[in-house]
Amino acid sequence: MLHMIEMVGVSKVYPGGCVALQDINVKIEKGEFVFLVGPTGAGKSTFIKLLFREELPTRGQIFFNGKNITRLRPNEVPYLRRRLGVVFQDFRLLPQKTVYENVAFAMEVVEASPRDIKKRVPRVIEMVGLSHKLNARPHELSGGEQQRVALARALVNNPDVIIADEPTGNLDPDTSWEIMKLLNEINKKGTTLIVATHAKELVDTMRKRVLQLENGRLVRDEERGVYRCEI
Amino acid sequence: MKFRTIRYFFKEAFANLLRNGWMSLASVGAVASALIIFGSFLMISINFDHVAKDVESQVEITAYLKDSVNQLEINQIEYQIKSITGVKEVTFISKEQALEEFKKQVGEELLEGIENPLPHSFRIKVESPQEVADVAYRIQGIAGVEEVKYGKGVVEKLFNITYWMRLLGLAIMAIFAVISVFIISNTIRITVFARRREINIMKYIGATDWFVRWPFLIEGMLLGFAGSLIAMTFLIIGYNYLYDTVKLNIPMISLLPIEEFYDYSLGLLAMGTFLGAFGSGFSIKRFLRV
Ligand SMILES: Nc1ncnc2c1ncn2[C@@H]1O[C@H](COP(=O)(O)OP(=O)(O)OP(=O)(O)O)[C@@H](O)[C@H]1O
Ligand SMILES: [Mg+2]
């Protein structure tokens, strides 16, 4: 059977010797909603960075739709990234561009038609509730607002998988809920979701699959799980 | 690549030029000053070459014939000279023509009533000035040739000087070409470095290398073009001024007419544009590797 994402014996040791992930074996199927939990420094961001090839694993293989992404040639990497919508923990918005331009840029990169861009971008920005900030630049936005722009950018191309690194990390509880509901809706329409988070209540309420990392090891993989840090 | 993508590249390049206003100006300035220096040496060098060629082309061989030769023998000698490799042009100067020329030089009256003492002769131009000595030696060997003259010694010395002058000109130009590339790519590297994060982000959301690269290349090309246009204007105005000054004050040196320099300045323009593109392409390479 072809899994959407499969990690086989993956370890990551950063230069300098920090072991961020150790012997991770995990399969994620199409349409799943997966929470990635664990204390700070556990390796959640590293897990995510391996998926979109910001980092390469030190050992092990990672497959995306059956294709080994650790063996991609540099010119194939962009096409992998286009199938993933990533919300980065540090947002990574283009500082010179407005909210609208930042989101539109993701479509320009894939050479979408200007007509589609004009139609789609405002809709996605509305989904994340930022229609009133269309022409603001990132430095004029609060942390939570920037995070929502990053989410809109990840959504805009209808990727197969959305990977979000703490998408609610800077949001108040109400807005966090809005965002989670939005992600849940997107997931219901068939998009696979991987969300790293510290938001205990959200995880506990939503009862999705939970992967728990601890010191770089996968210590729990539970369907309809809860946050629960202690083992 | 779709047309709208190309349009996007240009839009992006212009937007970046404006956004990085001061840096853009600095880059244009760097390109302009580097090319002005380079262009000045180019001008000096091609004028060296021009003067050298001018002097060299004035070197010709004169072969004086024996008094005894008849028309048939003259034809034969001409044929033999022409068949020497390296000979470009052979002109026959008869006794009479030689006298006419001589009269023009010294004055008609002085030579009134004197029998023509001048021999028939040939004036020979050679393909390349370096062959003069060799050709002269061969002509000397032809039967019916009395004497061959070509400014022996002086010619060799002249060639020596022009040879070194050319070599020096080339060396200086090469050095300044390298310096120009260095200045330009360094300046552009600063603008690129300031935007390295932006380049990384583009790559992280799935842009291909070329998608990121093109706006930078276009930007570099525009910077290079603007800079070399300024340099060109400076150089042409400067050259015109120099040309007039030299013509007025040192009439025996004839500089290359300005029209000849236009071709070179088009070359400079192409070079500046290319350097701009090359400089920015080179600078962003490092940041694409994510
Ligand atoms: N580029 C890097 N170079 C060296 N060490 C790194 C690098 N990135 C992360 N690490 C280390 O790897 C470990 C895992 O980091 P990671 O960012 O994956 O944690 P995390 O689970 O995302 O934490 P948080 O919840 O705080 O975001 C940490 O000990 C961190 O110091
Ligand atoms: Mg993290």
Side-chain angles (χ1 to χ4, degrees):
Chain A
M1 182 186 159
L2 205 63
H3 309 283
M4 181 131 228
I5 291 164
E6 184 177 10
M7 288 195 181
V8 183
V10 169
S11 297
K12 176 68 189 178
V13 183
Y14 281 108
C18 176
V19 182
L21 287 177
Q22 227 174 326
D23 194 31
I24 302 292
N25 291 285
V26 77
K27 296 184 183 95
I28 296 171
E29 309 302 339
K30 188 169 161 39
E32 271 195 290
F33 192 127
V34 180
F35 278 119
L36 204 56
V37 302
T40 180
K44 303 182 295 297
S45 295
T46 304
F47 186 96
I48 283 171
K49 285 174 182 174
L50 291 175
L51 289 178
F52 71 96
R53 269 280 301 246
E54 178 173 345
E55 299 286 350
L56 277 168
T58 315
R59 230 171 301 116
Q61 311 297 327
I62 303 169
F63 298 91
F64 180 72
N65 283 326
K67 193 162 171 69
N68 189 340
I69 62 166
T70 61
R71 300 244 174 92
L72 290 181
R73 276 180 278 121
N75 62 357
E76 292 175 316
V77 171
Y79 300 96
L80 165 73
R81 289 176 179 164
R82 288 174 191 193
R83 303 182 64 181
L84 313 168
V86 183
V87 183
F88 304 94
Q89 190 166 14
D90 51 356
F91 318 138
R92 302 194 185 171
L93 300 175
L94 296 168
Q96 317 269 32
K97 290 187 190 282
T98 64
V99 168
Y100 181 92
E101 287 166 348
N102 260 289
V103 178
F105 184 71
M107 290 187 79
E108 280 161 355
V109 160
V110 299
E111 301 191 49
S113 81
R115 203 152 40 87
D116 291 347
I117 295 178
K118 277 201 195 83
K119 231 169 52 190
R120 174 94 177 135
V121 173
R123 258 186 42 207
V124 176
I125 294 177
E126 201 195 325
M127 275 161 73
V128 299
L130 272 183
S131 295
H132 57 297
K133 297 277 187 175
L134 232 45
N135 294 315
R137 286 174 212 284
H139 68 91
E140 299 163 332
L141 299 175
S142 73
E145 285 166 337
Q146 290 182 42
Q147 203 154 36
R148 282 184 279 162
V149 180
L151 180 60
R153 187 179 61 186
L155 296 177
V156 77
N157 282 326
N158 281 320
D160 300 344
V161 185
I162 288 182
I163 304 171
D165 200 348
E166 306 207 22
T168 59
N170 289 277
L171 304 179
D172 63 68
D174 284 350
T175 320
S176 297
W177 254 116
E178 291 304 314
I179 294 295
M180 272 306 165
K181 274 199 281 191
L182 176 63
L183 291 179
N184 202 24
E185 267 163 46
I186 292 160
N187 172 244
K188 281 200 181 116
K189 283 183 197 143
T191 308
T192 310
L193 259 119
I194 300 172
V195 181
T197 187
H198 290 292
K200 182 177 188 313
E201 296 194 352
L202 290 175
V203 177
D204 288 350
T205 317
M206 289 181 65
R207 304 305 297 260
K208 302 288 184 187
R209 180 177 172 192
V210 174
L211 299 178
Q212 185 173 340
L213 291 170
E214 200 105 11
N215 285 324
R217 290 185 180 279
L218 184 62
V219 295
R220 181 165 61 110
D221 180 352
E222 192 176 16
E223 294 295 333
R224 300 181 54 76
V226 291
Y227 188 80
R228 189 171 58 118
C229 246
E230 74 289 352
I231 313 277
Chain B
M1 197 187 295
K2 294 174 181 166
F3 173 71
R4 61 167 170 268
T5 307
I6 297 171
R7 204 178 49 190
Y8 160 83
F9 288 156
F10 275 92
K11 205 184 80 190
E12 198 69 3
F14 277 107
N16 279 335
L17 280 176
L18 293 182
R19 262 184 223 139
N20 305 294
W22 285 110
M23 239 21 246
S24 304
L25 273 185
S27 304
V28 170
V31 174
S33 27
L35 286 183
I36 285 173
I37 296 170
F38 177 73
S40 308
F41 275 97
L42 181 72
M43 284 194 320
I44 293 169
S45 174
I46 60 179
N47 271 297
F48 260 0
D49 201 54
H50 174 68
V51 172
K53 271 211 188 92
D54 210 39
V55 175
E56 282 173 1
S57 71
Q58 285 165 19
V59 175
E60 55 180 22
I61 303 168
T62 311
Y64 298 101
L65 305 187
K66 294 199 167 107
D67 270 339
S68 57
V69 295
N70 59 32
Q71 188 57 43
L72 187 71
E73 286 167 329
I74 291 173
N75 290 346
Q76 278 171 352
I77 294 169
E78 181 170 3
Y79 178 77
Q80 285 178 42
I81 294 176
K82 274 184 176 159
S83 59
I84 296 172
T85 47
V87 170
K88 191 167 77 180
E89 202 182 305
V90 180
T91 323
F92 177 67
I93 314 284
S94 67
K95 288 169 80 85
E96 295 74 26
Q97 281 168 310
L99 186 65
E100 283 303 310
E101 272 181 35
F102 193 53
K103 272 183 183 167
K104 265 190 212 132
Q105 279 173 21
V106 298
E108 190 102 19
E109 317 78 40
L110 216 64
L111 298 163
E112 210 62 54
I114 301 174
E115 206 209 329
N116 185 356
L118 299 170
H120 293 303
S121 64
F122 282 107
R123 281 196 196 138
I124 299 108
K125 288 202 166 135
V126 293
E127 297 282 356
S128 98
Q130 283 73 15
E131 290 172 330
V132 168
D134 199 39
V135 171
Y137 180 75
R138 301 254 209 117
I139 294 172
Q140 185 75 67
I142 296 170
V145 173
E146 171 85 48
E147 194 186 2
V148 175
K149 280 196 174 148
Y150 71 93
K152 195 174 173 159
V154 179
V155 173
E156 277 84 0
K157 221 173 254 164
L158 180 70
F159 289 154
N160 227 332
I161 293 170
T162 56
Y163 173 78
W164 285 110
M165 264 170 33
R166 276 196 187 125
L167 211 62
L168 188 72
L170 269 178
I172 291 173
M173 255 171 50
I175 290 168
F176 271 91
V178 172
I179 293 176
S180 313
V181 172
F182 188 74
I183 293 176
I184 292 165
S185 68
N186 239 20
T187 317
I188 293 175
R189 189 174 323 197
I190 296 170
T191 66
V192 170
F193 190 75
R195 274 143 64 195
R196 67 194 181 284
R197 234 185 98 72
E198 215 176 313
I199 296 170
N200 284 341
I201 293 171
M202 292 180 193
K203 286 288 318 267
Y204 285 138
I205 64 174
T208 58
D209 284 0
W210 278 106
F211 191 87
V212 179
R213 201 179 277 136
W214 269 114
F216 280 97
L217 289 186
I218 293 169
E219 191 184 336
M221 257 149 65
L222 290 171
L223 290 174
F225 185 77
S228 37
L229 209 60
I230 292 171
M232 216 171 107
T233 314
F234 259 87
L235 287 170
I236 287 177
I237 292 172
Y239 191 81
N240 257 322
Y241 178 76
L242 184 77
Y243 186 82
D244 290 345
T245 312
V246 168
K247 200 168 175 183
L248 210 67
N249 297 312
I250 331 171
M252 58 274 198
I253 293 180
S254 77
L255 292 183
L256 208 61
I258 187 74
E259 289 75 26
E260 301 270 334
F261 189 65
Y262 288 153
D263 284 348
Y264 285 99
S265 42
L266 280 182
L268 278 186
L269 205 61
M271 185 171 135
T273 311
F274 172 78
L275 283 182
F278 182 78
S280 63
F282 189 72
S283 314
I284 77 162
K285 212 175 145 189
R286 187 149 63 98
F287 304 115
L288 286 172
R289 249 182 265 133
V290 290

